[in-house]
């Protein structure tokens, strides 16, 4: 993308993305960068409504294709409304999840196939791609323990269980092995260690 920098964070549920996103945001702001922090699904008024539909546990009759198209609909909105304008203004955009989530969750774990997810990801983003993506890689059982520790009710996606999370994890590792944009970080390290690694990689691209 032109001018600004577009960074995405990925990983299975409970991998510790939020902590790392917060640390990177502070680091970039200290360096004088203008940072826009957004999340998927959501990040726009329309997208937040779609998010509610996607995550409400009572919507358990949702078909996989409906789910996929709703994620892509929210993505089309955030790409045009937020990501493209902010990067064109030279901002650093940090997005909590982006199209690699669709590849890992719907393409691999739901077994809808990456040909379909690649096609729809391309349409929803008009071919835009992050400049750099961090996949926080962690064992699903460890991630589950973190989520339980954090409290709160599980959402429709989290309710799919450990086997599903394992497939998501494998999906991320596969997509990372095909793509130099995607950096896999060992998320079992301490938050400080992880953050130092991420900052080092970001320093190399800004
Ligand atoms: P969220 O509460 O944002 O999860 P987290 O805090 O772990 O990021 O919920 C988003 C859920 O939706 C999460 O389980 C991942 C899933 N998801 C997909 O299945 N496909 C997608 O394209 C995206 C963006 C998210």
């Amino acid at each position: 993308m032109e001018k600004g920098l577009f960074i995405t964070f990925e990983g299975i549920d409970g991998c510790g993305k939020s902590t790392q996103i917060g640390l990177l945001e502070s680091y970039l702001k200290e360096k004088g960068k203008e940072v826009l922090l957004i999340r998927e699904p959501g990040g726009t008024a329309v997208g937040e409504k779609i998010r509610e539909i996607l995550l409400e546990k009572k919507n358990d009759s949702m078909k996989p294709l409906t789910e996929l198209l709703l994620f892509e609909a929210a993505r089309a909105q955030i790409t045009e409304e937020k990501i493209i304008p902010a990067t064109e203004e030279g901002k650093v955009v940090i997005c909590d999840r982006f199209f690699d989530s669709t590849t890992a969750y719907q393409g691999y774990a739901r077994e809808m196939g990456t040909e379909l997810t690649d096609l729809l990801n391309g349409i929803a983003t008009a071919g835009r791609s992050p400049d750099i993506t961090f996949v926080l890689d962690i064992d699903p059982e460890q991630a589950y323990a973190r989520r339980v520790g954090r409290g709160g009710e599980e959402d429709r996606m989290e309710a799919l269980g450990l086997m599903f999370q394992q497939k998501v994890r494998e999906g991320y590792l596969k997509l990372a092995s095909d793509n130099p944009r995607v950096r896999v970080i060992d998320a079992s390290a301490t938050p400080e260690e992880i953050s130092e690694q991420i900052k080092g990689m970001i320093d190399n691209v800004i």
Side-chain angles (χ1 to χ4, degrees), residues 13 17 51 55 71 75 97 101-102 105-106 155 157:
D13 298 276
K17 277 185 288 103
R51 178 186 175 89
L55 298 184
F71 278 119
R75 180 161 305 129
R97 298 193 180 281
S101 283
T102 300
Y105 282 76
Q106 282 68 46
D155 63 39
M157 299 303 293

